[in-house]
């Protein structure tokens, strides 16, 4: 085996061990992930969670993507105490430190992230936000801004028009390319989950460039951030867009 082959193999193994979901291809490097949930599908298997018990067909998360989080690649729990890390991993999110936000950002986040009803924002800050150079105000402000761009795109329109029906990878990738430029769909991964006999789309993870990790990303174009990321495989190839309600 040549030294070049050995280096390539070593790199490939390290990527697998790191659990990296995104390949570094296509001229860009994925530094952040925008994780967007399709909340009705999440709630099918989490019906007792506060945000699921209170969900209605009229609430925004019934027909729009919800913010799961903004994740730095291969970093988590930066500067977090052992006790807080253990509490987070045990799902005791409401025992984690409260996230201090302006009234405006707090209101916007409650709309974009229904999981705040279960302390999701405390989990996201503890595990992921602490590994950015941003304040909590800027970190969640960026996430809300980027989710808003997704929810005003052809991707959201495709999902909203197909509630109760299956959507295929090709259609979703085409919608990303339409809204965020050619090749944007190659920087997205779709996740699905089963509820009974139905395979539902549970969410999308979207690759973003390094620029997503700065407060200035609150006014950045999602297209530019996606185009600066590396390519990935799409994951689940087809799933039903679930409707609100159980």
């Amino acid at each position: 085996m040549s030294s070049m082959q050995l280096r390539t193999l070593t790199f490939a193994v390290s990527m697998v061990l790191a659990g990296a979901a995104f390949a570094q291809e296509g001229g860009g490097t994925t530094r952040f992930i925008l994780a967007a949930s399709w909340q009705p599908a999440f709630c099918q298997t989490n019906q007792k969670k506060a945000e699921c018990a209170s969900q209605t067909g009229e609430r925004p998360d019934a027909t729009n993507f919800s913010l799961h989080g903004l994740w730095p690649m291969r970093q988590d729990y930066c500067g977090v105490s052992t006790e807080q890390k253990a509490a987070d991993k045990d799902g005791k999110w409401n025992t984690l430190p409260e996230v201090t936000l302006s009234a405006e950002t707090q209101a916007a986040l409650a709309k974009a992230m229904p999981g705040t009803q279960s302390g999701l924002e405390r989990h996201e800050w503890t595990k992921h936000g602490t590994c950015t150079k941003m304040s909590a105000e800027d970190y969640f402000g960026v996430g809300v801004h980027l989710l808003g761009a997704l929810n005003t795109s052809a991707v959201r329109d495709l999902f909203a028009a197909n509630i109760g029906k299956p959507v295929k990878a090709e259609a979703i990738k085409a919608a990303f390319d339409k809204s965020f430029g050619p090749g944007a769909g190659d920087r997205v991964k779709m996740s699905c989950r089963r509820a009974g006999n139905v395979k539902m789309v549970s969410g999308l993870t979207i690759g973003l460039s390094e620029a997503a990790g700065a407060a200035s990303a609150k006014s950045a174009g999602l297209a530019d951030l996606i185009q600066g990321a590396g390519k990935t495989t799409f994951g689940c190839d087809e799933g039903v867009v679930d409707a609100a309600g159980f």
Side-chain angles (χ1 to χ4, degrees):
M1 182 180 291
S2 69
S3 60
M4 177 68 76
Q5 289 172 318
L6 181 58
R7 287 198 297 271
T8 301
L9 177 61
T10 302
F11 177 77
V13 170
S14 68
M15 290 289 283
V16 170
L17 291 177
F22 284 73
Q24 310 307 310
E25 304 171 2
T29 302
T30 300
R31 296 299 190 190
F32 285 84
I33 300 293
L34 176 65
S37 297
W38 191 257
Q39 195 73 5
F42 169 80
C43 286
Q44 285 292 348
T45 51
N46 293 275
Q47 297 181 16
K48 293 183 179 181
K49 277 190 171 286
E51 64 270 28
C52 296
S54 63
Q55 188 183 52
T56 66
E58 290 71 45
R59 209 166 67 181
D61 55 289
T63 53
N64 290 275
F65 289 99
S66 295
L67 180 62
H68 185 168
L70 181 65
W71 306 338
M73 290 289 288
R74 294 182 292 279
Q75 287 183 296
D76 53 32
Y77 299 113
C78 296
V80 173
S81 70
T82 302
E83 293 76 18
Q84 288 181 12
K85 185 175 179 179
D88 183 72
K89 290 191 171 186
D90 286 344
K92 298 175 181 176
W93 296 346
N94 283 321
T95 68
L96 297 172
E98 184 176 355
V99 176
T100 303
L101 301 171
S102 67
E104 181 182 5
T105 299
Q106 193 164 15
L109 185 63
K111 181 178 177 181
M113 180 187 278
T116 54
Q117 296 179 43
S118 297
L120 178 58
E121 81 283 10
R122 301 187 188 197
H123 160 71
E124 290 298 316
W125 175 253
T126 299
K127 185 173 183 180
H128 302 291
T130 55
C131 295
T132 71
K133 296 177 181 178
M134 292 184 280
S135 65
E137 177 76 14
D138 288 335
Y139 173 72
F140 287 108
V142 170
V144 167
H145 166 68
L146 298 180
L147 184 82
L150 179 63
N151 278 332
T152 53
S153 73
V155 182
R156 180 268 172 186
D157 291 347
L158 174 69
F159 274 66
N162 286 278
I163 290 175
K165 303 173 185 177
V167 290
K168 294 181 180 292
E170 292 77 9
I172 299 168
K173 292 176 73 171
F176 267 96
D177 289 356
K178 179 180 178 180
S179 289
F180 304 115
D186 293 329
R187 289 153 173 81
V188 179
K189 185 179 290 289
M190 184 165 80
S191 299
C192 296
R193 64 172 63 200
R194 286 198 174 274
N197 295 322
V198 181
K199 183 171 72 171
M200 299 176 175
V201 178
S202 57
L204 304 171
T205 45
I206 304 164
L208 306 174
S209 67
E210 181 73 28
S216 57
K218 286 191 285 187
S219 59
L222 180 54
D224 291 338
L225 299 178
I226 293 174
Q227 292 292 339
K231 294 182 180 180
T232 186
T233 54
F234 197 77
C236 178
D237 60 352
E238 180 178 347
V240 171
V241 182
D242 191 33
F246 313 132

